[in-house]
Amino acid sequence: MEKSIYSDEYQRLCALLKELRREAELTQVQVAKALGVPQSFVSKYESGERRLDVIELGHVARALGLSLRDVLDRFGA
């Protein structure tokens, strides 16, 4: 099991989060404000530079107007 932020699976998740943000018609700044973090936090997880834990992923999902289950369902599809 590869744990790197550079794994194909993790890069797929990063791309999905970016896609979901765009589908929600939100900017990185808007998502960052909802999360209470700098815009660079959103940029870094979308680019794969920063790894999200499951709790953070849940917060990101809610900031996008989704549930963690919604994100996982889309990821698995």
Side-chain angles (χ1 to χ4, degrees):
M1 175 171 59
E2 187 177 0
K3 292 186 179 182
S4 171
I5 61 174
Y6 304 108
S7 71
D8 290 341
E9 281 183 310
Y10 193 70
Q11 293 302 312
R12 226 173 22 96
L13 177 62
C14 296
L16 173 62
L17 292 174
K18 186 175 186 175
E19 180 182 334
L20 292 171
R21 176 180 57 78
R22 289 180 171 170
E23 286 177 7
E25 298 181 352
L26 295 169
T27 66
Q28 288 184 349
V29 172
Q30 290 169 313
V31 174
K33 186 174 181 179
L35 295 170
V37 298
Q39 174 272 331
S40 61
F41 177 87
V42 177
S43 176
K44 286 179 180 180
Y45 75 68
E46 283 189 357
S47 69
E49 190 177 334
R50 185 189 190 289
R51 191 174 186 97
L52 294 175
D53 66 30
V54 70
I55 304 301
E56 292 169 326
L57 182 58
H59 291 299
V60 169
R62 283 189 293 285
L64 298 175
L66 302 167
S67 69
L68 181 56
R69 169 63 59 201
D70 294 331
V71 174
L72 294 176
D73 286 346
R74 282 282 296 269
F75 183 70

